[in-house]
Amino acid sequence: MSRPKSENRWLIVVLLALGLMISFVDRTSLSAALADRHFVREFALSSMQRGWLNSAVFWSYGACQMPMGWLVDRYGVKWPYTLCFLLWCLASAATGLVTTLSALIIMRLIIGVAEAVVVPATYRFLANNFEENRKGTALGIFSIGGKMGPALGAPIAAWMIVAYSWSAMFVATGLLGLLWLLPWLKTVKNDFPDHIELIEARRRASSVPLRNLLASPVVWGGLVNNFCYSYFAFYCMTWMPAYLVEQRGLSLADSGLYTFFSFAGIATVAALAGCAADWLIARGHDAVFVRKCFIVAGFIGGTTVLLGAYAPTLGMSLFWNVTSLALLGFVTANNLALCKLTLIPKQAVGLNTGLQQVATSLAGGVSASLSGWLLQIGGSYTLPMLAIFAFLLIGATNTIVMLRREWEPKVNSVENSYVCRSNPANADCRSEL
């Protein structure tokens, strides 16, 4: 299989980060529209309906994570990513042309399906091309894209809605993203396997089947961590603009600006924390222990979001709004490395990443819809923030208890795996089946 030249791998990481950024711009641009009273009135949306609409993309995104992980484990990164990228950009642009709520939901579901390739493809590339003491740095760079997407997308989307319309915003952000395809197609080598390589890829992937992943406490610990982390992150992506407008009295344009500060903060901290952990690991410290320390610190730091909920002044509220999400950045790269690379056999990275992303997308759907329901019954954003506080504490506890080397997924003998599938009655295979 063709591999990228070593001098190109960091450039490809940057492209993957930009791809992630574009996916988040297209995924979260709806949050700015949902803070626009003209958009809400046009579709006659209640708070509950806004929550369900915000969550639609996450349901299809989650449903397709494992199929996408399976796909990139066997068929490479370049062409599956290319085709899916094209599809989600076109669906995002088409969102600006719809006139009914049902059509709007369909576009969001299509975006979710296509964007499901992003994370499994990225982790497959990183597993193939980066050693342990470089993974945190690579993931720190990559994670910047996930934070700068909403950081830049929120103010840009808000500005375009104010200056033009919500419809123009969707069309422009969707079509402009297509420019990314030019450097991607030129830089990334074709890694689509030939017949012999395809057989070998299947053999490698079969050595860590899904049942082995589901039997590992590490995998379940990763699922819990990804849910707890993503619950807060996706709340900020889907509800922060509305919170700042409706409860704190900011204009739509100003809400976009403070959303930018929050996500720029977490992007910066995530990159620095990933580099710092790599530095410690390169000097002989245990990778699992180092990354767990950063993760726990980030979950505890994120709980300061509750201080913002009860802040008596606008200034204090905005300070804790930005600070809490920035502190969560200590979790970002280190949790990604630990749960999807460090404690996972290389041959199962794509499948496990797809599985982990199910929890991530489930958190997005639950966060968007549950926050809408809590807002509707409570009349303010205090209850949604209390829910965030609880999930962050669960994440910190789970990190300490569940993420251990001795609980890593087991690797089967490749040859034995194939014998067992052809002859499941064989006594030597019973432990595998």
Side-chain angles (χ1 to χ4, degrees), residues 17-239:
L18 290 173
L20 180 66
M21 182 183 76
I22 293 168
S23 76
F24 272 102
V25 168
D26 291 337
R27 195 185 313 174
T28 61
S29 57
L30 180 65
S31 63
L34 289 174
D36 175 36
R37 64 180 184 276
H38 301 293
F39 180 86
V40 173
R41 288 175 183 171
E42 182 164 343
F43 290 95
L45 299 173
S46 66
S47 292
M48 182 79 76
Q49 288 173 321
R50 284 194 293 169
W52 281 109
L53 185 56
N54 252 329
S55 70
V57 69
F58 298 108
W59 301 123
S60 57
Y61 179 82
C64 293
Q65 284 297 309
M66 290 186 63
M68 289 296 182
W70 181 93
L71 185 71
V72 299
D73 273 346
R74 289 159 175 79
Y75 298 101
V77 172
K78 181 175 183 176
W79 291 111
Y81 200 126
T82 299
L83 295 175
C84 289
F85 186 93
L86 178 64
L87 177 60
W88 94 58
C89 285
L90 294 177
S92 181
T95 304
L97 306 178
V98 302
T99 56
T100 65
L101 180 59
S102 60
L104 187 62
I105 292 173
I106 290 172
M107 290 300 104
R108 301 299 292 176
L109 292 173
I110 293 174
I111 292 171
V113 169
E115 288 189 357
V117 76
V118 173
V119 176
T122 297
Y123 280 84
R124 169 48 52 202
F125 176 82
L126 296 181
N128 287 343
N129 294 280
F130 287 88
E131 55 276 8
E132 179 61 43
N133 64 352
R134 292 290 182 270
K135 289 174 182 175
T137 302
L139 284 166
I141 295 171
F142 173 66
S143 67
I144 289 175
K147 312 314 171 190
M148 294 307 294
L152 296 174
I156 291 172
W159 173 79
M160 292 192 68
I161 291 171
V162 172
Y164 300 98
S165 68
W166 64 266
S167 179
M169 180 272 293
F170 281 117
V171 173
T173 54
L175 294 182
L176 286 174
L178 292 173
L179 295 174
W180 176 89
L181 282 173
L182 298 177
W184 172 259
L185 291 172
K186 183 177 180 179
T187 304
V188 180
K189 302 298 183 182
N190 179 19
D191 59 348
F192 191 88
D194 59 27
H195 178 68
I196 295 176
E197 291 170 338
L198 181 59
I199 293 174
E200 181 58 29
R202 289 173 177 170
R203 286 168 58 84
R204 287 195 303 268
S206 71
S207 67
V208 189
L210 178 60
R211 63 178 174 271
N212 287 27
L213 294 178
L214 295 177
S216 168
V218 162
V219 171
W220 287 101
L223 290 169
V224 173
N225 264 21
N226 281 302
F227 182 93
C228 294
Y229 171 89
S230 299
Y231 187 94
F232 185 16
F234 284 129
Y235 165 83
C236 293
M237 292 178 193
T238 55
W239 281 104

Side-chain angles (χ1 to χ4, degrees), residues 400-420:
I400 296 170
V401 174
M402 298 293 286
L403 301 181
R404 304 181 182 182
R405 286 191 185 278
E406 60 266 28
W407 290 344
E408 294 177 9
K410 294 181 179 180
V411 180
N412 298 338
S413 165
V414 174
E415 292 77 7
N416 196 38
S417 176
Y418 269 77
V419 170
C420 290

Side-chain angles (χ1 to χ4, degrees), residues 232 236 240 243-244 248 250 254 257-266 269 301-328 385:
F232 185 16
C236 293
M240 185 184 292
Y243 161 72
L244 294 174
R248 293 300 177 177
L250 297 184
D254 285 342
L257 180 62
Y258 280 99
T259 301
F260 165 80
F261 289 144
S262 296
F263 281 99
I266 189 175
V269 174
T303 61
T304 57
V305 67
L306 206 55
L307 298 177
Y310 289 105
T313 66
L314 175 61
M316 289 180 64
S317 171
L318 293 175
F319 172 80
W320 289 116
N321 199 63
V322 172
T323 301
S324 61
L325 190 59
L327 290 174
L328 190 69
M385 290 186 183

